Short mmCIF file of all heavy atoms in Angstrom, two decimals:
data_model
loop_
_atom_site.label_atom_id
_atom_site.label_comp_id
_atom_site.label_asym_id
_atom_site.label_seq_id
_atom_site.Cartn_x
_atom_site.Cartn_y
_atom_site.Cartn_z
N VAL A 245 5.35 3.63 -11.13
CA VAL A 245 4.65 4.68 -10.39
C VAL A 245 5.00 6.06 -10.94
O VAL A 245 4.12 6.83 -11.33
CB VAL A 245 4.97 4.61 -8.88
CG1 VAL A 245 4.28 5.75 -8.14
CG2 VAL A 245 4.54 3.26 -8.30
N PHE A 246 6.29 6.38 -11.00
CA PHE A 246 6.69 7.74 -11.36
C PHE A 246 6.60 8.00 -12.86
O PHE A 246 5.98 8.97 -13.29
CB PHE A 246 8.10 8.03 -10.83
CG PHE A 246 8.15 8.10 -9.33
CD1 PHE A 246 8.59 7.02 -8.58
CD2 PHE A 246 7.72 9.23 -8.66
CE1 PHE A 246 8.62 7.07 -7.20
CE2 PHE A 246 7.75 9.30 -7.28
CZ PHE A 246 8.20 8.22 -6.55
N ALA A 247 7.25 7.14 -13.67
CA ALA A 247 7.26 7.39 -15.12
C ALA A 247 5.89 7.16 -15.76
O ALA A 247 5.56 7.77 -16.78
CB ALA A 247 8.30 6.49 -15.80
N SER A 248 5.07 6.28 -15.17
CA SER A 248 3.77 5.97 -15.77
C SER A 248 2.64 6.83 -15.23
O SER A 248 1.70 7.13 -15.96
CB SER A 248 3.42 4.49 -15.53
OG SER A 248 4.39 3.65 -16.08
N LEU A 249 2.70 7.22 -13.95
CA LEU A 249 1.57 7.92 -13.33
C LEU A 249 1.92 9.32 -12.86
O LEU A 249 1.25 10.29 -13.23
CB LEU A 249 1.04 7.09 -12.15
CG LEU A 249 0.52 5.70 -12.50
CD1 LEU A 249 0.14 4.94 -11.24
CD2 LEU A 249 -0.66 5.79 -13.45
N THR A 250 2.96 9.45 -12.03
CA THR A 250 3.30 10.76 -11.48
C THR A 250 3.60 11.76 -12.58
O THR A 250 3.08 12.89 -12.56
CB THR A 250 4.51 10.63 -10.53
OG1 THR A 250 4.24 9.64 -9.55
CG2 THR A 250 4.80 11.95 -9.86
N ALA A 251 4.43 11.37 -13.54
CA ALA A 251 4.77 12.28 -14.63
C ALA A 251 3.53 12.63 -15.46
O ALA A 251 3.41 13.77 -15.94
CB ALA A 251 5.84 11.64 -15.53
N PHE A 252 2.63 11.68 -15.62
CA PHE A 252 1.38 11.91 -16.35
C PHE A 252 0.57 13.01 -15.68
O PHE A 252 0.09 13.94 -16.32
CB PHE A 252 0.59 10.60 -16.41
CG PHE A 252 -0.87 10.76 -16.72
CD1 PHE A 252 -1.29 11.18 -17.97
CD2 PHE A 252 -1.83 10.48 -15.76
CE1 PHE A 252 -2.63 11.32 -18.26
CE2 PHE A 252 -3.17 10.62 -16.04
CZ PHE A 252 -3.58 11.03 -17.29
N VAL A 253 0.42 12.95 -14.36
CA VAL A 253 -0.33 13.96 -13.61
C VAL A 253 0.38 15.32 -13.71
O VAL A 253 -0.25 16.36 -13.99
CB VAL A 253 -0.49 13.55 -12.13
CG1 VAL A 253 -1.13 14.67 -11.32
CG2 VAL A 253 -1.32 12.28 -12.03
N LEU A 254 1.69 15.32 -13.50
CA LEU A 254 2.45 16.56 -13.57
C LEU A 254 2.34 17.21 -14.94
O LEU A 254 2.17 18.43 -15.06
CB LEU A 254 3.93 16.28 -13.25
CG LEU A 254 4.28 15.95 -11.80
CD1 LEU A 254 5.71 15.45 -11.70
CD2 LEU A 254 4.09 17.17 -10.91
N TRP A 255 2.45 16.40 -15.99
CA TRP A 255 2.42 16.95 -17.34
C TRP A 255 1.07 17.57 -17.65
O TRP A 255 0.99 18.66 -18.25
CB TRP A 255 2.75 15.86 -18.36
CG TRP A 255 2.88 16.43 -19.75
CD1 TRP A 255 1.96 16.40 -20.75
CD2 TRP A 255 3.99 17.17 -20.26
NE1 TRP A 255 2.43 17.05 -21.85
CE2 TRP A 255 3.68 17.54 -21.57
CE3 TRP A 255 5.22 17.54 -19.72
CZ2 TRP A 255 4.55 18.27 -22.37
CZ3 TRP A 255 6.09 18.27 -20.51
CH2 TRP A 255 5.76 18.63 -21.81
N ASN A 256 0.00 16.91 -17.28
CA ASN A 256 -1.32 17.46 -17.55
C ASN A 256 -1.57 18.74 -16.77
O ASN A 256 -2.22 19.66 -17.25
CB ASN A 256 -2.40 16.41 -17.28
CG ASN A 256 -2.52 15.42 -18.42
OD1 ASN A 256 -3.15 15.68 -19.42
ND2 ASN A 256 -1.87 14.27 -18.27
N LYS A 257 -1.03 18.82 -15.54
CA LYS A 257 -1.09 20.06 -14.76
C LYS A 257 -0.31 21.16 -15.48
O LYS A 257 -0.74 22.32 -15.52
CB LYS A 257 -0.51 19.84 -13.37
CG LYS A 257 -1.29 18.86 -12.49
CD LYS A 257 -2.52 19.50 -11.92
CE LYS A 257 -3.21 18.56 -10.93
NZ LYS A 257 -4.48 19.15 -10.42
N ALA A 258 0.84 20.81 -16.05
CA ALA A 258 1.66 21.79 -16.77
C ALA A 258 0.94 22.31 -18.00
O ALA A 258 0.97 23.52 -18.29
CB ALA A 258 3.00 21.15 -17.17
N VAL A 259 0.28 21.43 -18.73
CA VAL A 259 -0.45 21.83 -19.93
C VAL A 259 -1.59 22.78 -19.58
O VAL A 259 -1.86 23.75 -20.29
CB VAL A 259 -0.98 20.58 -20.69
CG1 VAL A 259 -1.94 20.99 -21.80
CG2 VAL A 259 0.18 19.80 -21.27
N VAL A 260 -2.29 22.51 -18.47
CA VAL A 260 -3.37 23.39 -18.02
C VAL A 260 -2.81 24.78 -17.67
O VAL A 260 -3.39 25.81 -18.01
CB VAL A 260 -4.10 22.78 -16.80
CG1 VAL A 260 -5.04 23.80 -16.17
CG2 VAL A 260 -4.87 21.54 -17.23
N ALA A 261 -1.67 24.82 -17.01
CA ALA A 261 -1.08 26.09 -16.54
C ALA A 261 -0.41 26.88 -17.67
O ALA A 261 -0.51 28.11 -17.71
CB ALA A 261 -0.08 25.82 -15.42
N LEU A 262 0.27 26.18 -18.59
CA LEU A 262 1.08 26.86 -19.59
C LEU A 262 0.50 26.79 -21.00
O LEU A 262 0.82 27.64 -21.84
CB LEU A 262 2.49 26.23 -19.65
CG LEU A 262 3.32 26.26 -18.37
CD1 LEU A 262 4.62 25.48 -18.60
CD2 LEU A 262 3.63 27.69 -17.96
N GLY A 263 -0.33 25.80 -21.26
CA GLY A 263 -0.75 25.52 -22.62
C GLY A 263 0.17 24.48 -23.24
O GLY A 263 1.32 24.35 -22.83
N PRO A 264 -0.30 23.73 -24.23
CA PRO A 264 0.50 22.64 -24.80
C PRO A 264 1.77 23.10 -25.49
O PRO A 264 2.78 22.40 -25.46
CB PRO A 264 -0.47 21.97 -25.80
CG PRO A 264 -1.53 22.97 -26.06
CD PRO A 264 -1.66 23.78 -24.81
N SER A 265 1.77 24.29 -26.11
CA SER A 265 2.96 24.74 -26.85
C SER A 265 4.13 25.02 -25.92
O SER A 265 5.25 24.55 -26.15
CB SER A 265 2.63 26.00 -27.66
OG SER A 265 1.66 25.71 -28.64
N LYS A 266 3.90 25.78 -24.86
CA LYS A 266 4.98 26.10 -23.92
C LYS A 266 5.44 24.85 -23.18
O LYS A 266 6.63 24.66 -22.95
CB LYS A 266 4.52 27.17 -22.93
CG LYS A 266 4.39 28.55 -23.55
CD LYS A 266 3.97 29.58 -22.51
CE LYS A 266 3.85 30.96 -23.14
NZ LYS A 266 3.38 31.97 -22.16
N ALA A 267 4.49 24.00 -22.79
CA ALA A 267 4.87 22.76 -22.11
C ALA A 267 5.68 21.88 -23.04
O ALA A 267 6.66 21.24 -22.63
CB ALA A 267 3.62 22.03 -21.62
N GLY A 268 5.29 21.86 -24.34
CA GLY A 268 6.01 21.06 -25.32
C GLY A 268 7.46 21.48 -25.48
O GLY A 268 8.33 20.64 -25.68
N LEU A 269 7.72 22.78 -25.36
CA LEU A 269 9.10 23.26 -25.45
C LEU A 269 9.95 22.69 -24.32
O LEU A 269 11.12 22.35 -24.52
CB LEU A 269 9.13 24.79 -25.41
CG LEU A 269 8.50 25.52 -26.60
CD1 LEU A 269 8.57 27.02 -26.38
CD2 LEU A 269 9.20 25.13 -27.89
N VAL A 270 9.38 22.57 -23.13
CA VAL A 270 10.11 22.02 -21.99
C VAL A 270 10.44 20.55 -22.23
O VAL A 270 11.52 20.08 -21.89
CB VAL A 270 9.31 22.18 -20.68
CG1 VAL A 270 10.03 21.52 -19.51
CG2 VAL A 270 9.07 23.66 -20.38
N TYR A 271 9.52 19.84 -22.89
CA TYR A 271 9.73 18.41 -23.14
C TYR A 271 11.00 18.15 -23.94
O TYR A 271 11.67 17.13 -23.76
CB TYR A 271 8.52 17.81 -23.87
CG TYR A 271 8.69 16.36 -24.22
CD1 TYR A 271 8.54 15.37 -23.25
CD2 TYR A 271 9.03 15.97 -25.51
CE1 TYR A 271 8.73 14.03 -23.56
CE2 TYR A 271 9.21 14.63 -25.83
CZ TYR A 271 9.05 13.67 -24.86
OH TYR A 271 9.24 12.36 -25.17
N TYR A 272 11.37 19.09 -24.83
CA TYR A 272 12.53 18.88 -25.68
C TYR A 272 13.84 19.01 -24.91
O TYR A 272 14.92 18.83 -25.50
CB TYR A 272 12.50 19.85 -26.87
CG TYR A 272 11.27 19.66 -27.72
CD1 TYR A 272 10.52 20.75 -28.18
CD2 TYR A 272 10.82 18.38 -28.05
CE1 TYR A 272 9.38 20.57 -28.93
CE2 TYR A 272 9.68 18.19 -28.81
CZ TYR A 272 8.95 19.29 -29.25
OH TYR A 272 7.82 19.10 -29.99
N THR A 273 13.78 19.31 -23.62
CA THR A 273 14.98 19.28 -22.78
C THR A 273 15.25 17.87 -22.25
O THR A 273 16.22 17.67 -21.51
CB THR A 273 14.85 20.25 -21.58
OG1 THR A 273 13.76 19.82 -20.73
CG2 THR A 273 14.60 21.66 -22.05
N LEU A 274 14.43 16.91 -22.63
CA LEU A 274 14.57 15.53 -22.16
C LEU A 274 15.99 14.98 -22.31
O LEU A 274 16.53 14.40 -21.37
CB LEU A 274 13.57 14.63 -22.89
CG LEU A 274 13.53 13.15 -22.50
CD1 LEU A 274 12.94 12.98 -21.11
CD2 LEU A 274 12.72 12.34 -23.50
N PRO A 275 16.66 15.17 -23.49
CA PRO A 275 18.03 14.65 -23.61
C PRO A 275 19.01 15.27 -22.63
O PRO A 275 20.01 14.64 -22.27
CB PRO A 275 18.40 15.00 -25.06
CG PRO A 275 17.11 15.14 -25.77
CD PRO A 275 16.17 15.73 -24.76
N VAL A 276 18.74 16.51 -22.20
CA VAL A 276 19.63 17.16 -21.23
C VAL A 276 19.59 16.40 -19.91
O VAL A 276 20.63 16.06 -19.33
CB VAL A 276 19.23 18.64 -21.02
CG1 VAL A 276 20.09 19.27 -19.92
CG2 VAL A 276 19.35 19.41 -22.33
N PHE A 277 18.39 16.12 -19.44
CA PHE A 277 18.23 15.37 -18.18
C PHE A 277 18.81 13.96 -18.31
O PHE A 277 19.49 13.46 -17.40
CB PHE A 277 16.76 15.31 -17.77
CG PHE A 277 16.19 16.61 -17.32
CD1 PHE A 277 15.37 17.35 -18.15
CD2 PHE A 277 16.49 17.13 -16.07
CE1 PHE A 277 14.84 18.57 -17.74
CE2 PHE A 277 15.97 18.34 -15.65
CZ PHE A 277 15.15 19.07 -16.49
N SER A 278 18.52 13.31 -19.44
CA SER A 278 19.04 11.94 -19.65
C SER A 278 20.56 11.94 -19.72
O SER A 278 21.21 11.06 -19.17
CB SER A 278 18.45 11.34 -20.93
OG SER A 278 17.07 11.12 -20.79
#
Side-chain angles (χ1 to χ4, degrees):
V245 177
F246 292 100
S248 301
L249 299 175
T250 305
F252 161 69
V253 174
L254 288 169
W255 186 259
N256 281 279
K257 295 282 186 183
V259 170
V260 169
L262 301 175
S265 296
K266 288 181 179 177
L269 293 178
V270 176
Y271 177 77
Y272 300 135
T273 63
L274 182 70
V276 175
F277 290 103
S278 292

